[in-house]
Amino acid sequence: MRLLIIEDDRDAADYLAKAFREVGHVADLAADGEEGLAHALDGQYDVLIVDRMLPKVDGLTVIGTLRSKGIETPALILSALGQVDDRVKGLRAGGDDYLPKPYSFSELLARTEVLARRRGGREETVYRVGDLELDRLSHQVTRAGTEIVLQPREFRLLEYLMKHAGQVVTRTMLLENVWDYHFDPQTNVIDVHISRLRSKIDKGFTQALLHTVRGAGYVIRDTK
Amino acid sequence: MTLSSAASASSAASAPDDSHGWRMTAFGKILRTTTFKLTLVYLTVFVLFAAFLLGYFAWNTRRLITEQITQTVDAEITGLSEQYRQGGIRRLVLAVDARSRRPGSSLYLVTTPAGEGLAGNVGSLATGILETPGWTETAYRRLDDFDGGEHHALVRVFQLPSGFRLLVGRDLEERERLRDIVLAAGRWSLAIVIVIGVAGGLFVTRRVLRRVDAMTETTRKIMDGDLTGRLPIAGTGDELDRLAENLNVMLERIEALMHGLKEVSDNIAHDLKTPLTRLRNRCEEALRLAEDESQYRAALETTIEESEALIRTFNALLMIARAESGQARDNMTEVDAAEIARGVGELYEPLADDKGIALKVEAPAAAPVHGNRELISQALANLVDNAIKYGAANGTHANGAMPEILVKAQGEGERILLTVADGGLGIPEADRSRAVERFVRLEQSRSLPGSGLGLSLAAAVARLHGGELKLEDNHPGLRSVISLPRAGVTQAAA
């Protein structure tokens, strides 16, 4: 995946670029809004990571300008402002995701990968991972042909995980996308929901599909 | 108009005049006030009105007098021409002679067709009067008047059939005196109105100015940093009082905000520096003592954990400050508290179940509140989180039943109550108000994780929505109630 990181803090930008390169991605850097805009207009990127407060042209304007020119490269906004209304402002300006500082790299990586993959825009009606099947229209879930009965929220949780099958999703991403909450619930309530779901889809099968990624989140994948 | 220009001229003159010092400046200040300018406008209107009234009265009276004169003169002419008709010119001359001798303000003159005077009391007339029959206003001199003063009269010249002319008139002194009286009255009343008006204006203005000065004085003190100052209220309930009351409410709000800000910085200093020191010590210790990679790794992992807890505390602090400053009020819409209760209950139910607690939600009817869904959800989540952490401390009940947490959303009159009730140890009554304060973690909870800000955040969110957080005894256990105004009911500013 090719990334453009527009961030004026040199240290933070270098650290991010290095970390992305370590996991096998290509990362370009831009130190201010003007340079970032020029790069984004020229190059082919899968995801833009844009700091909200930038010298010369601020982050939201950069994204707004790109969108007005018909460039739909997914953009993730990094910001020191983390409140709900700031997030809404960021998304309204054309951002696709919003991550308040300070963030962990695993969280940023997971979100970036989801954004890059989303570009295909393929919305299937049936998700399949191994022998697990989820039908989004009939709300039916089967594993190896046997029907699994899920609560509505469990269904949406599984739906989100399967939509991003093979990709790590973090607890915050689940809380935001499945529950639509953007606050920190203090205790790891998500873990308990996951373990319930796991007991329904993995219990009694030799092949586990739902995995915990330590220090990052969860991933549903067929390891065979 | 002349008045106001005179006023501004004197105020302009007062400015550079140092010899009169403060008094003149104070006078100039009065002249510049809105009240005084308003007085001048009123004064002008009043003077114009009085002048109009007086003018109208004078004009009408003058008309009446003139009418009376013409009637009298007409009657005399009718009488005299009757004499002439009966006894010829001789009889007329006699009659005119007799009437001329009577004292009074009537004028008579009989002349030959050539214009020679035969009888009457007129000494001299303006030329040409006798040649024009009908009504004329003219200057004249009486025969018996030797001091030479000229008078004015309204006269009528009547042509007799034989060519003789008869002039009858009446002195206009009466009418002129009336004009003088009206003019004098006008001058005096104008002077009196202006003096009283200006004096009244100055008096009222000084009173208002004194109160405004007192307010300015207080404001200056407040600007110097003393936020405890309040504007004086005269107790008359007038517009200045209302202004002062509103400003005082505003000052209270500002003071509370400043206080909150100070508290936040104090708390940040106190409660963030402690874990930061711990973090640093741990790193130093690892550098000093760690011998292999695994020990470094362990030290780094705890460092990240600690920093995460720090970020969490920091976020909660910012959130509270934001809720207390009222900024989040922009994003409020009508939300259903029952739905919030169900949502939060659903989020925490598995966690409670995991800990052997039955979490139940009772939210049968819609409970509309005007607010921010995220914030209310977070406040309720904090209460549920607390209940799960501390409410289970009792363990299972004596009869072996599972401990229970009840989350309820219900309407009660004009309020919507969001209740979280547990059967745990509760909070002793003496500690309840302290528990809502920031960073207070009661003795029994020291061993459990958390920023200690959950209840403070819930309280701040409740206040932001014009409600409150109450902690009550659940016999046994704790019952936390967020009471919010029902949407659609006009709510008082929080």
Side-chain angles (χ1 to χ4, degrees):
Chain A
M1 151 170 91
R2 258 178 83 92
L3 294 161
L4 175 64
I5 301 166
I6 313 176
E7 161 74 88
D8 60 318
D9 179 353
R10 199 76 228 174
D11 284 350
D14 285 343
Y15 162 73
L16 279 184
K18 193 166 158 253
F20 274 116
R21 283 169 196 149
E22 269 167 22
V23 289
H25 299 305
V26 180
D28 290 348
L29 293 179
D32 62 58
E34 235 170 60
E35 197 190 328
L37 197 57
H39 278 334
L41 285 169
D42 287 347
Q44 288 291 319
Y45 293 102
D46 297 307
V47 178
L48 308 175
I49 295 174
V50 186
D51 187 36
R52 185 161 171 181
M53 281 175 236
L54 286 171
K56 295 186 188 169
V57 182
D58 78 285
L60 296 190
T61 316
V62 169
I63 295 171
T65 313
L66 288 175
R67 295 290 180 262
S68 71
K69 296 196 170 171
I71 294 174
E72 298 295 332
T73 314
L76 184 145
I77 302 167
L78 293 178
S79 172
L81 311 166
Q83 308 291 347
V84 176
D85 32 344
D86 298 317
R87 164 195 303 277
V88 170
K89 242 181 257 165
L91 298 185
R92 224 173 258 160
D96 298 276
D97 202 355
Y98 192 98
L99 190 58
K101 291 178 180 179
Y103 49 82
S104 67
F105 178 70
S106 53
E107 181 81 42
L108 179 62
L109 179 66
R111 284 171 185 261
T112 317
E113 285 181 339
V114 163
L115 279 183
R117 193 75 65 84
R118 206 183 65 179
R119 237 189 150 181
R122 195 160 47 105
E123 292 275 309
E124 299 145 79
T125 36
V126 179
Y127 292 144
R128 283 189 193 85
V129 175
D131 50 0
L132 179 66
E133 268 189 27
L134 178 141
D135 189 323
R136 296 173 64 210
L137 294 179
S138 66
H139 279 230
Q140 236 177 14
V141 179
T142 56
R143 177 139 195 208
T146 317
E147 190 176 347
I148 298 169
V149 181
L150 295 180
Q151 300 292 320
R153 189 72 68 180
E154 290 167 343
F155 179 86
R156 290 182 54 192
L157 185 57
L158 183 62
E159 186 184 11
Y160 186 77
L161 284 164
M162 289 181 80
K163 184 180 175 190
H164 303 292
Q167 291 176 297
V168 177
V169 293
T170 64
R171 293 173 179 84
T172 333
M173 284 161 81
L174 290 174
L175 197 65
E176 285 175 11
N177 292 292
V178 178
W179 277 270
D180 193 22
Y181 288 140
H182 296 89
F183 59 83
D184 167 21
Q186 309 221 16
T187 318
N188 272 331
V189 278
I190 302 300
D191 292 355
V192 198
H193 281 274
I194 289 285
S195 78
R196 272 197 176 184
L197 180 65
R198 180 178 276 145
S199 75
K200 285 193 178 174
I201 62 169
D202 275 347
K203 210 171 181 181
F205 294 90
T206 46
Q207 178 77 47
L209 296 175
L210 182 49
H211 308 275
T212 305
V213 182
R214 210 167 156 257
Y218 302 97
V219 62
I220 198 157
R221 75 156 73 94
D222 186 10
T223 44
K224 268 193 289 194
Chain B
M1 292 309 108
T2 46
L3 269 177
S4 60
S5 71
S8 63
S10 73
S11 81
S14 73
D17 188 359
D18 265 336
S19 59
H20 289 83
W22 184 84
R23 283 198 66 82
M24 284 302 279
T25 331
F27 188 64
K29 197 161 101 185
I30 286 179
L31 295 184
R32 278 194 300 272
T33 58
T34 319
T35 322
F36 193 73
K37 283 175 189 154
L38 211 61
T39 311
L40 290 186
V41 171
Y42 272 127
L43 201 61
T44 313
V45 170
F46 193 72
V47 163
L48 286 178
F49 179 68
F52 167 76
L53 213 66
L54 212 62
Y56 183 73
F57 166 75
W59 178 75
N60 259 324
T61 318
R62 186 191 154 98
R63 204 173 50 100
L64 204 72
I65 290 173
T66 314
E67 218 166 78
Q68 255 175 7
I69 290 175
T70 48
Q71 272 171 14
T72 319
V73 170
D74 278 344
E76 293 224 45
I77 284 187
T78 317
L80 287 173
S81 34
E82 182 66 20
Q83 298 273 351
Y84 174 77
R85 212 170 44 80
Q86 286 174 5
I89 189 72
R90 178 171 297 273
R91 179 112 174 237
L92 174 68
V93 166
L94 281 175
V96 166
D97 225 29
R99 288 197 190 179
S100 297
R101 277 178 229 284
R102 279 190 224 150
S105 50
S106 292
L107 296 180
Y108 305 95
L109 183 65
V110 182
T111 63
T112 60
E116 290 167 51
L118 294 176
N121 54 6
V122 177
S124 72
L125 270 175
T127 47
I129 295 295
L130 285 168
E131 276 72 51
T132 48
W135 290 100
T136 328
E137 221 181 289
T138 174
Y140 78 98
R141 189 168 288 140
R142 279 174 87 103
L143 263 183
D144 49 4
D145 191 11
F146 301 109
D147 56 11
E150 237 188 26
H151 296 267
H152 288 268
L154 187 62
V155 299
R156 185 180 167 191
V157 177
F158 188 72
Q159 184 94 39
L160 294 168
S162 53
F164 288 94
R165 288 191 195 120
L166 169 65
L167 177 148
V168 178
R170 240 179 132 78
D171 194 278
L172 284 175
E173 201 185 347
E174 209 178 330
R175 211 175 75 179
E176 269 154 29
R177 217 168 45 229
L178 177 86
R179 200 189 64 202
D180 290 347
I181 288 172
V182 167
L183 279 181
R187 269 197 294 274
W188 275 108
S189 49
L190 191 71
I192 290 170
V193 161
I194 288 173
V195 166
I196 291 181
V198 171
L202 286 177
F203 175 72
V204 171
T205 308
R206 265 190 62 176
R207 270 177 60 111
V208 173
L209 203 60
R210 203 173 298 152
R211 286 178 61 189
V212 173
D213 276 347
M215 285 182 176
T216 315
E217 182 69 17
T218 322
T219 323
R220 198 158 292 148
K221 250 188 247 161
I222 294 165
M223 278 190 284
D224 287 342
D226 175 23
L227 271 177
T228 53
R230 290 292 176 268
L231 298 176
I233 288 169
T236 49
D238 61 3
E239 68 274 22
L240 279 179
D241 265 13
R242 267 181 293 143
L243 180 68
E245 273 163 23
N246 279 332
L247 287 176
N248 281 345
V249 172
M250 189 176 87
L251 283 172
E252 235 138 77
R253 181 96 188 98
I254 292 174
E255 198 188 350
L257 287 178
M258 292 299 290
H259 185 71
L261 198 66
K262 193 180 164 298
E263 226 175 67
V264 169
S265 44
D266 285 358
N267 285 336
I268 287 176
H270 178 257
D271 286 74
L272 292 184
K273 272 184 180 172
T274 318
L276 273 173
T277 313
R278 216 162 47 217
L279 200 74
R280 188 197 171 129
N281 289 347
R282 195 154 289 157
C283 292
E284 284 171 346
E285 191 188 295
L287 277 180
R288 219 171 48 236
L289 301 175
E291 283 163 353
D292 57 18
E293 206 194 298
S294 70
Q295 283 176 11
Y296 276 120
R297 178 169 287 275
L300 279 176
E301 274 166 4
T302 21
T303 307
I304 290 177
E305 257 167 53
E306 288 241 5
S307 74
E308 226 136 67
L310 260 171
I311 290 166
R312 196 166 276 188
T313 306
F314 192 71
N315 280 341
L317 270 175
L318 285 181
M319 196 90 176
I320 292 172
R322 203 173 169 101
E324 283 186 346
S325 72
Q327 282 176 57
R329 225 166 256 161
D330 305 340
N331 283 330
M332 289 189 178
T333 49
E334 192 177 307
V335 291
D336 184 2
E339 215 173 287
I340 289 177
R342 283 193 292 269
V344 171
E346 191 260 348
L347 181 65
Y348 278 89
E349 190 272 323
L351 179 72
D353 189 54
D354 223 36
K355 304 215 165 185
I357 305 168
L359 192 147
K360 287 178 185 164
V361 179
E362 250 180 50
V369 293
H370 181 73
N372 184 315
R373 172 185 166 267
E374 284 276 330
L375 286 177
I376 300 175
S377 298
Q378 186 171 7
L380 190 66
N382 282 339
L383 298 183
V384 174
D385 200 59
N386 270 344
I388 293 174
K389 273 182 196 149
Y390 312 124
N394 240 1
T396 45
H397 282 264
N399 57 12
M402 256 177 131
E404 203 181 270
I405 292 174
L406 182 63
V407 179
K408 227 161 58 172
Q410 96 228 58
E412 200 182 86
E414 293 185 347
R415 319 274 316 161
I416 297 292
L417 305 182
L418 277 166
T419 313
V420 178
D422 66 52
L425 294 173
I427 298 177
E429 195 169 353
D431 286 341
R432 273 181 214 146
S433 66
R434 223 162 55 80
V436 185
E437 280 171 33
R438 287 195 194 108
F439 291 101
V440 170
R441 298 187 66 189
L442 302 171
E443 224 32 68
Q444 49 173 317
S445 67
R446 290 245 178 249
S447 56
L448 292 160
S451 58
L453 289 168
L455 282 179
S456 337
L457 184 88
V461 168
R463 275 199 300 273
L464 173 75
H465 288 83
E468 56 177 338
L469 170 70
K470 283 180 286 193
L471 301 180
E472 294 163 357
D473 200 337
N474 196 33
H475 306 286
L478 178 70
R479 185 167 59 220
S480 321
V481 186
I482 298 177
S483 156
L484 301 172
R486 187 191 282 272
V489 178
T490 31
Q491 39 183 302

